[in-house]
Amino acid sequence: MKCWLLLMYGLYIDDVKGTCSPMIDTVCVKCIFFFYCCFGLEKPGCYISNALKAAGFHRSLSDYSLFVRSYQGNFLALLIYVDDVILAGNNLQDIENTKLFLSRQFKLKDLGQLKYFLGIEVARSWNRISLSQRKYALDILNDTGFLGAKPSRFPLDQNVSLTQSDGKLLEDGSAYRRLVGRLIYLTITRPDLTYVVHILSQFMDKPRQPHLAAAHQVLKYIKQTLGQGIMLPSTGNLQLQAFCDADWARCKNTRRSVTGHCILHGGAPISWRTKKQTTVLRSSAEAEYRSMATTCCEITWLKNILKDLKINHTQSVTLFCDNQATMHIASKLVFHERTKHIEIDCHLIREKFKQEWFKHPTFELHSNQQIYLLSH
């Protein structure tokens, strides 16, 4: 990344407060909608889109905030988030020309090379880029009074099981909701927090004392691992690898299963998620297969993003799963009565196999430990 630009919507608002805050300024959004409703003005996002299209950029169909331009061996990518813009390319002169074009269209402030973006700290060397949220994590600890707390080695004890009815109801749950909301944003660079934050976010409507105690345990773990983040190496292949798993009927309140997946690009994690499945499933194989289908959809989206970024990913994607019954369902073309309700997911995965985007699912017991961190 060669440059970081901070874009101001000078057409309607002269100044935007808290532009480097990870949370959107709701007052700014309300003002934009007010002018749009009263005067029928074109929304800023549409105006920026038209200006970029006039400069030769094309909007990605996979992510409407991403604009790319490629010609004569020069490639330029522009990513917009509210009033912040990241500009990256392989030609410095092309970047300077784009900055000059944008400065003629909008009120612009150039912040130079990317070091801090929406709470994410970027550190670069000749062979890697590191992403972390150390300052953001310190702010959370400082606001909650846990800077001097005793560190913990684990975000959540293994045998802890939180429910909606255990413990005393908190008199004021606003502090808990604010804390969990900030922890959700922290998972952008912390896959180790994804599962426990997913659990805590289920009790935001009526938080209880055990839920708050578990959130405090997470803060102690953050104190132990302040600088932890993601390392993106500049060397190695660009092979996509995916790991998926499901925890069958884990939730005691609904008995729904929890899906977890992690996708690596060149050995570096780029996508991870933990999510409760939408229906109650009657077998662990079905839960695992739905997890595999969700991971396939995420891989398909990533393939489209890589295509927009002119990254040629011709090799097949390796998808790992640790359930043997799921492997048999994926490999056999015969559906039995007990598997009819997952036939749609099966056809989805097989369709991707036919496109040769994925290798056949690989049964690897050694991947259990990696998947365990996401889903158990």
Side-chain angles (χ1 to χ4, degrees), residues 86-158:
I86 294 179
L87 184 62
N90 59 357
N91 188 294
L92 185 58
Q93 185 59 47
D94 192 20
I95 292 177
E96 294 295 333
N97 294 337
T98 304
K99 288 162 56 178
L100 181 61
F101 169 79
L102 292 175
S103 64
R104 294 172 180 171
Q105 303 291 327
F106 311 101
K107 183 180 178 182
L108 192 69
K109 184 178 181 181
D110 185 358
L111 297 181
Q113 292 190 356
L114 181 62
K115 295 181 180 179
Y116 192 81
F117 182 75
L118 299 176
I120 303 174
E121 301 174 39
V122 182
R124 292 179 293 177
S125 63
W126 66 274
N127 63 346
R128 64 181 181 178
I129 295 178
S130 298
L131 305 178
S132 68
Q133 293 172 280
R134 186 177 185 276
K135 183 180 181 302
Y136 184 73
L138 281 173
D139 291 341
I140 296 177
L141 295 177
N142 185 39
D143 294 343
T144 55
F146 274 77
L147 271 178
K150 182 180 179 180
S152 174
R153 296 178 57 189
F154 305 100
L156 187 66
D157 294 335
Q158 184 176 2

Side-chain angles (χ1 to χ4, degrees), residues 203-233:
F203 311 106
M204 296 183 71
D205 56 339
K206 294 180 180 180
R208 296 178 178 270
Q209 192 62 40
H211 310 150
L212 183 61
H216 290 168
Q217 175 77 11
V218 176
L219 294 177
K220 295 177 182 179
Y221 173 74
I222 294 174
K223 174 71 181 300
Q224 176 73 20
T225 58
L226 270 176
Q228 189 165 326
I230 307 171
M231 193 273 287
L232 306 175

Side-chain angles (χ1 to χ4, degrees), residues 29-60:
V29 175
K30 291 177 182 177
C31 290
I32 293 175
F33 287 156
F34 171 78
F35 281 107
Y36 175 70
C37 294
C38 292
F39 303 105
L41 298 176
E42 188 176 19
K43 290 183 289 186
C46 299
Y47 190 89
I48 294 175
S49 174
N50 294 336
L52 292 176
K53 289 179 180 179
F57 284 89
H58 299 280
R59 170 175 273 174
S60 171

Side-chain angles (χ1 to χ4, degrees), residues 299-311:
I299 293 175
T300 303
W301 178 79
L302 284 174
K303 291 277 291 186
N304 293 330
I305 288 291
L306 294 179
K307 184 178 180 181
D308 292 333
L309 297 176
K310 306 302 179 183
I311 298 178

Side-chain angles (χ1 to χ4, degrees), residues 160-179:
V160 171
S161 182
L162 301 176
T163 63
Q164 295 178 349
S165 58
D166 294 342
K168 181 182 178 181
L169 191 67
L170 297 179
E171 295 181 0
D172 184 10
S174 59
Y176 177 86
R177 286 186 282 270
R178 173 176 170 80
L179 173 59

Side-chain angles (χ1 to χ4, degrees), residues 200-323:
L200 296 177
S201 63
Q202 300 179 40
F203 311 106
M204 296 183 71
D205 56 339
K206 294 180 180 180
R208 296 178 178 270
Q209 192 62 40
H211 310 150
L212 183 61
H216 290 168
Q217 175 77 11
V218 176
L219 294 177
K220 295 177 182 179
Y221 173 74
I222 294 174
K223 174 71 181 300
Q224 176 73 20
T225 58
L226 270 176
Q228 189 165 326
I230 307 171
M231 193 273 287
L232 306 175
S234 61
T235 58
N237 57 39
L238 299 179
Q239 171 71 25
L240 279 175
Q241 287 184 323
F243 298 83
C244 65
D245 197 12
D247 198 348
W248 180 47
R250 174 68 175 178
C251 180
K252 290 186 176 181
N253 297 313
T254 62
R255 284 305 175 187
R256 295 181 182 179
S257 304
V258 177
T259 292
H261 74 251
C262 180
I263 302 176
L264 309 179
H265 188 219
I270 59 172
S271 177
W272 54 87
R273 190 180 189 186
T274 299
K275 181 178 175 60
K276 186 187 295 185
Q277 296 184 359
T278 56
T279 58
V280 180
L281 307 181
R282 293 177 289 175
S283 67
S284 60
E286 181 181 357
E288 295 276 1
Y289 213 96
R290 289 190 182 274
S291 173
M292 188 184 294
T294 302
T295 308
C296 285
C297 293
E298 183 72 9
I299 293 175
T300 303
W301 178 79
L302 284 174
K303 291 277 291 186
N304 293 330
I305 288 291
L306 294 179
K307 184 178 180 181
D308 292 333
L309 297 176
K310 306 302 179 183
I311 298 178
N312 188 19
H313 192 282
T314 57
Q315 60 270 43
S316 300
V317 179
T318 307
L319 177 60
F320 293 90
C321 182
D322 65 345
N323 188 282

